[in-house]
Amino acid sequence: GTALDLGDGGTVAFERRQDEIGVLSVVVRRLERTSFQESFQGWTVDDVTAARTPYFVRIAVRNVGETDLGGLRLDNVLWADDGKNFEAPNYYPAEQLPACSGAPLPAKFAKGATVELCQVYFVAPARSLESVAFLPYGGLDPVTWSGELSPVTKPKPGRTGKPGRTGKPGQPAS
C-alpha cells in the first residue's frame, strides 16, 4: 500500500475482465464536502440517503497501459474510505448534477488518453471521508489519497453536459 497526498499521482493496475489488465495513473486533486441543500437542490431524497454526507472527489486519470479502457466506470477502482467502510461512487449526468457530473471514462480511452472527472460519494452518518482508496485484489494494502477538504467547485457557465475534459496526451488535464 501507499499513502499519497492530494495532488500526488499513483499508478494502479487491475483486471478489467479476465485476461484484460488496465493500468491508470490517478491524481486525486480535491476532496469537497457538500450538503444536499447546497448541491442537490430540488432533489427528493429518502431518509436513509439524507442522513449521509455527500462528498465530491475531483480526479485526473491517464491511461498508462496498453488496454483501451473506454467506458470504464471507476466504481471498481476508487472507493471512499470513512475509516470503517468503503463506499462506491454514485454517478449522475451533468444535466442532473452540474456541480459534479460523475461519468465513466470516455468511449475511447487508449494509452496516453487523459480526462478529469468528478465522483460523488455518500458517507454514512456520524462518519467522514478520510481518504479515497484503490483496493488491490488479493488482500494487498490499498493505495490511498488524503488531504484537506476544499469548498465545492461551482460549475462554469456553459460547461454542463461535458462529463470530463481531456488534456494533452500523456499528462493529466489541469
Side-chain angles (χ1 to χ4, degrees):
T2 303
L4 300 170
D5 292 326
L6 295 181
D8 290 343
T11 302
V12 299
F14 55 92
E15 192 169 36
R16 181 179 188 187
R17 292 184 198 103
Q18 188 173 2
D19 299 323
E20 186 178 87
I21 303 296
V23 184
L24 295 172
S25 174
V26 177
V27 177
V28 177
R29 296 197 184 278
R30 293 171 60 94
L31 306 175
E32 302 172 354
R33 181 182 173 150
T34 188
S35 67
F36 288 101
Q37 295 78 20
E38 180 180 9
S39 298
F40 298 81
Q41 293 177 6
W43 286 44
T44 301
V45 180
D46 63 51
D47 292 341
V48 172
T49 303
R52 295 177 164 270
T53 303
Y55 289 86
F56 298 157
V57 175
R58 303 202 187 264
I59 60 175
V61 179
R62 178 171 31 117
N63 187 344
V64 295
E66 299 300 323
T67 302
D68 186 325
L69 297 172
L72 176 72
R73 291 175 70 114
L74 298 181
D75 51 351
N76 290 324
V77 179
L78 293 178
W79 298 77
D81 177 10
D82 68 7
K84 184 176 180 181
N85 299 305
F86 291 100
E87 301 285 342
N90 297 274
Y91 290 94
Y92 304 101
E95 300 77 27
Q96 190 177 18
L97 186 60
C100 185
S101 57
L105 296 177
K108 298 279 186 194
F109 202 72
K111 184 174 184 174
T114 64
V115 68
E116 289 192 4
L117 300 170
C118 184
Q119 300 207 128
V120 180
Y121 296 93
F122 298 131
V123 174
R127 314 263 341 144
S128 62
L129 180 68
E130 291 190 7
S131 67
V132 175
F134 167 73
L135 306 173
Y137 293 108
L140 300 173
D141 290 334
V143 176
T144 61
W145 289 264
S146 60
E148 296 294 319
L149 294 174
S150 299
V152 172
T153 302
K154 299 295 181 188
K156 295 177 184 174
R159 298 261 323 156
T160 60
K162 296 182 181 178
R165 184 169 54 93
T166 59
K168 296 176 184 172
Q171 66 186 27
S174 55

